[in-house]
Amino acid sequence: MAVTEALLTQLSVGAVALYTMVTAASRAIDRVLALAEYYDVDEVLVGMTVLAVGTSLPELSAHVVASLGIVSGVLDYEVTSAVVLGGNTGSSTVQQLLLVGILVVGYGRVHLSRAFVRESYLPMLGAIAATLALAWDGTLSRLDGAVLLALYLAYVAVRFTHRRQSPTLRERPSTNPRRDALLAAVFLALVLLAASLLLSVVEAALATLTLGGSMVGVVTLGVAAALPELTTVMDALRRRSPNVALGTLIGSNIVNPLVGIGLGGVVSTYYVPPAVVLWDLPFKLLVGGGLLGWVLYRRDGAITRTEGAYLLGFYFLFVAGRLLLFPGQ
C-alpha cells in the first residue's frame, strides 16, 4: 500500500475528528451531569441514562450520522454499515475485556454481588445474544432495530422500578443552568459534526487501505469511542471505587448494542459483515459467559488480578484473531 500525501491528509483529518468527537462528548456529559445535579434528578436514573448513554455518546452519534448518511445516499450502505458496526462491537470489546482487565489488575480484587449480576451483567449478556440473533441473517432491518430499542426501554423500566441508591461519579451542581444547557447543546453539535467528518474520511481512506470497513471501525472508532470509559476507570482507581467504573463499563455494553445498533437499524437498516456475527459477538458472549461462570462457581463472586490478566490477553486474542480470520472485512 503506497502512503500518499492524500492518504496522510485523510488520516490527519480523521485523527482530529476522532479527538474532537471524544472530547466534545466528554464535555457535553459533564455539563448534563451538572444540570442533573442542579435539578436534583434521581441519582439512579442519572446513572442508567446520563452516565450509561453519555459514555456511549461517540458510538451513538456515529450510528445516527451514519444512518442519516445512508438514507440520504451520501454514504455507501455496506461500507458505512461495516464501519459503525465494527466500531460498536470494537468499543464494547475494549470495555468488556481491556478496560475491565485494567480496572481489576489496577485495583486487585473486585466482587460481583448477586444483585449486580442479576441487574447488570446478565442483561449485558442478553443484549449481546439478542443482537447476535437478530444480525445472524446478515442484515439488521427496521423491525430488528425496533426490537433492540424496545429491549433497552424495558430494561430501563425494570431497573428504575426496582431502583436502589448507589454511588455515582457526579459533577458539582451547575451554577449557571442556561449557560450549561447551551454548552451541552454546542458540544453535542460538535460530536455530530465530528462523527460526520470522520465517517466521510474513513469511507475515502478505505479505497486505499487494505483493511475492511468493520476492521477499520474496530481499531479506530472502536478504540477511540471507549476513551470516556477509560477516563472513568482511571478516576475510579484513583478514588478506590471500582464498582462505579465496573457498573459504567457493563452499562455501556448494554447501551451500545441495544441503543446504538437499534437506532441505526430503525433509521436506515444495516448490512452486517460476517466477521461481526461469526467472531465479534460470539467472542464477547463466550468470554463474558465463561468469566461469569468461573467467578461465581470458582472464585465465590470475586474477580482477581489473575482474571484481570486473562481479560487483557483475551482482548489481544480478539484483535489478532479478527485480523487473521477476517482481514478483508
Side-chain angles (χ1 to χ4, degrees):
M1 177 187 70
V3 179
T4 64
E5 183 177 346
L7 178 59
L8 289 176
T9 301
Q10 291 170 346
L11 294 177
S12 299
V13 172
V16 172
L18 270 175
Y19 175 81
T20 302
M21 182 175 68
V22 172
T23 303
S26 176
R27 298 292 184 271
I29 294 311
D30 287 344
R31 296 305 88 216
V32 173
L33 285 174
L35 288 168
E37 188 73 16
Y38 176 84
Y39 289 108
D40 196 26
V41 179
D42 185 279
E43 189 167 289
V44 176
L45 183 60
V46 169
M48 289 190 301
T49 56
V50 178
L51 282 177
V53 174
T55 53
S56 297
L57 192 56
E59 296 96 324
L60 301 185
S61 61
H63 277 286
V64 170
V65 171
S67 296
L68 292 176
I70 290 171
V71 169
S72 64
V74 173
L75 297 174
D76 181 81
Y77 172 65
E78 290 197 4
V79 170
T80 305
S81 296
V83 170
V84 292
L85 288 176
N88 188 299
T89 58
S91 176
S92 295
T93 308
V94 168
Q95 296 164 37
Q96 183 184 340
L97 303 182
L98 187 62
L99 296 189
V100 172
I102 291 173
L103 177 68
V104 176
V105 170
Y107 189 76
R109 187 183 184 90
V110 178
H111 184 76
L112 299 183
S113 68
R114 295 283 176 171
F116 177 80
V117 170
R118 181 179 63 253
E119 296 171 1
S120 298
Y121 201 96
L122 288 177
M124 178 195 74
L125 296 180
I128 298 171
T131 306
L132 177 60
L134 293 172
W136 188 256
D137 61 356
T139 60
L140 281 162
S141 67
R142 288 186 171 87
L143 177 59
D144 294 335
V147 169
L148 293 175
L149 289 175
L151 288 174
Y152 180 71
L153 293 176
Y155 166 73
V156 170
V158 171
R159 284 295 312 275
F160 190 69
T161 302
H162 300 87
R163 65 188 182 277
R164 297 191 310 271
Q165 289 298 108
S166 59
T168 55
L169 300 177
R170 299 288 292 266
E171 284 288 308
R172 292 179 179 178
S174 172
T175 57
N176 190 332
R178 290 184 179 180
R179 179 201 64 193
D180 285 336
L182 177 61
L183 286 174
V186 170
F187 285 128
L188 287 172
L190 275 177
V191 170
L192 294 175
L193 288 172
S196 178
L197 178 60
L198 175 63
L199 290 170
S200 297
V201 168
V202 168
E203 186 174 9
L206 281 175
T208 306
L209 297 172
T210 56
L211 291 175
S214 66
M215 191 67 222
V216 170
V218 167
V219 299
T220 56
L221 181 59
V223 173
L227 291 179
E229 285 85 358
L230 175 60
T231 302
T232 301
V233 168
M234 295 297 102
D235 195 24
L237 289 176
R238 179 178 60 83
R239 296 170 184 251
R240 307 300 291 172
S241 56
N243 290 331
V244 173
L246 186 62
T248 300
L249 293 173
I250 299 303
S252 185
N253 266 259
I254 297 171
V255 172
N256 279 355
L258 297 186
V259 180
I261 297 176
L263 276 174
V266 167
V267 174
S268 66
T269 76
Y270 280 143
Y271 157 75
V272 183
V276 171
V277 293
L278 296 179
W279 182 256
D280 297 1
L281 295 173
F283 192 97
K284 284 163 50 62
L285 192 58
L286 287 174
V287 172
L291 174 67
L292 180 62
W294 174 264
V295 166
L296 290 182
Y297 296 105
R298 297 300 297 270
R299 295 291 194 187
D300 197 26
I303 305 178
T304 67
R305 281 197 172 99
T306 300
E307 285 76 37
Y310 278 124
L311 288 176
L312 296 177
F314 276 127
Y315 175 72
F316 293 106
L317 176 63
F318 165 78
V319 176
R322 207 182 197 283
L323 281 169
L324 290 173
L325 296 174
F326 304 95
Q329 292 187 24

